[in-house]
Amino acid sequence: MKKKFFVILVLAVVAGNVFAQPNNTFTVDLGPTVMGALIGATGDLIGENGVSTSGFGIAVQYERQLLKQFSVAGRFAYLGGGIGYGDSFKQDGAKIDTLLNINLSSFSLEAHARLYPLGDSFFLDGLLGFANMTVDFTGELAVSAGGEKGTEDVSVRASKDYFKFGTKLGWRITFGKEGGFVFEPAFGYYAGVSGKDSMGKQLLGSIDGDMDVGPLDLMFWILEDFVFIGGPRFTLSFGWRF
């Protein structure tokens, strides 16, 4: 009797492992990669001589299915971009060479909760997390006149931390009944809140506190709220469910 009970228990455990639904999903999101490519193409769209841009982004996520209709996930995302400008011209008999570079980067650590209302592929996703955006501004001005040359270098950094939150909806499409390859398209909206001084105030405060920060703040507000930290978001995630 004991032997028969033991055999039944072993078979039950084996069957449970074979037919259990996969609870783990690891994905790589190419949405930030597409956004980085668009940043890199901006220089060509501007069409200004001496202007160059570059960009790159990536995000990875691990999801754990706790219930059929509920899961939690951790996500890391990175997005970076650069703008460069170089020019050379003559003024009042002097040759002036300029070189300016602005490098922007952001990363975020996010906790996600997902609801699968139909217990299937469609999901609603909410996130809370931490994000950081950093701007490095470097410049060089070289003036050559009368056989003499003078240079002036500028190097300034501004950085802000954010409380990040948002929501999105999407579909988890699994190509296999017991897990396997996964494709997740989704779209939503993210936002960030920071109590630190604006990027424009930090940058110009280090160079010349009397300059008007309004135009620079407007530019960085657009970059923060619609590109690097918040704004409309789409994901194109590929991965494996097991």
Side-chain angles (χ1 to χ4, degrees), residues 43 48 75 121 125 165 175:
E48 183 72 24
R75 174 183 165 96
S121 60
D125 182 299
F165 56 95
F175 296 85

Side-chain angles (χ1 to χ4, degrees), residues 126-141:
L127 82 90
L128 295 175
F130 165 84
N132 173 273
M133 179 175 172
T134 300
V135 180
D136 288 307
F137 179 92
T138 59
E140 181 181 289
L141 177 66

Side-chain angles (χ1 to χ4, degrees), residues 148-215:
E148 297 183 358
K149 183 177 180 179
T151 61
E152 183 175 350
D153 296 326
V154 176
S155 181
V156 184
R157 166 171 285 196
S159 182
K160 291 178 67 175
D161 296 330
Y162 305 82
F163 171 68
K164 188 174 180 180
F165 56 95
T167 185
K168 65 181 179 180
L169 57 88
W171 295 262
R172 182 176 65 190
I173 305 169
T174 304
F175 296 85
K177 292 183 179 180
E178 305 302 329
F181 181 72
V182 171
F183 172 55
E184 288 188 2
F187 64 91
Y189 195 92
Y190 294 170
V193 177
S194 177
K196 200 170 183 180
D197 287 341
S198 67
M199 292 291 192
K201 188 173 183 180
Q202 290 185 57
L203 290 172
L204 293 186
S206 302
I207 302 173
D208 186 347
D210 295 329
M211 295 179 66
D212 181 13
V213 300

Side-chain angles (χ1 to χ4, degrees), residues 18 22 33 35 37 43 70 77 80-82 107-108 179 208 217 220 226:
V18 171
T33 308
M35 187 173 293
F70 181 76
F107 72 88
S108 63
D208 186 347
D217 272 347
F220 281 116
F226 294 97

Side-chain angles (χ1 to χ4, degrees), residues 73-136:
R75 174 183 165 96
F76 171 81
Y78 170 83
L79 178 62
I83 304 172
Y85 176 74
D87 196 9
S88 180
F89 58 93
K90 290 186 177 181
Q91 181 176 333
D92 299 329
K95 182 183 177 183
I96 301 175
D97 298 305
T98 61
L99 180 62
L100 302 174
N101 288 290
I102 301 176
N103 292 307
L104 308 97
S105 63
S106 69
F107 72 88
S108 63
L109 299 172
E110 305 164 5
H112 291 250
R114 282 189 175 184
L115 178 65
Y116 294 83
L118 304 178
D120 199 357
S121 60
F122 173 73
F123 64 81
L124 301 173
D125 182 299
L127 82 90
L128 295 175
F130 165 84
N132 173 273
M133 179 175 172
T134 300
V135 180
D136 288 307

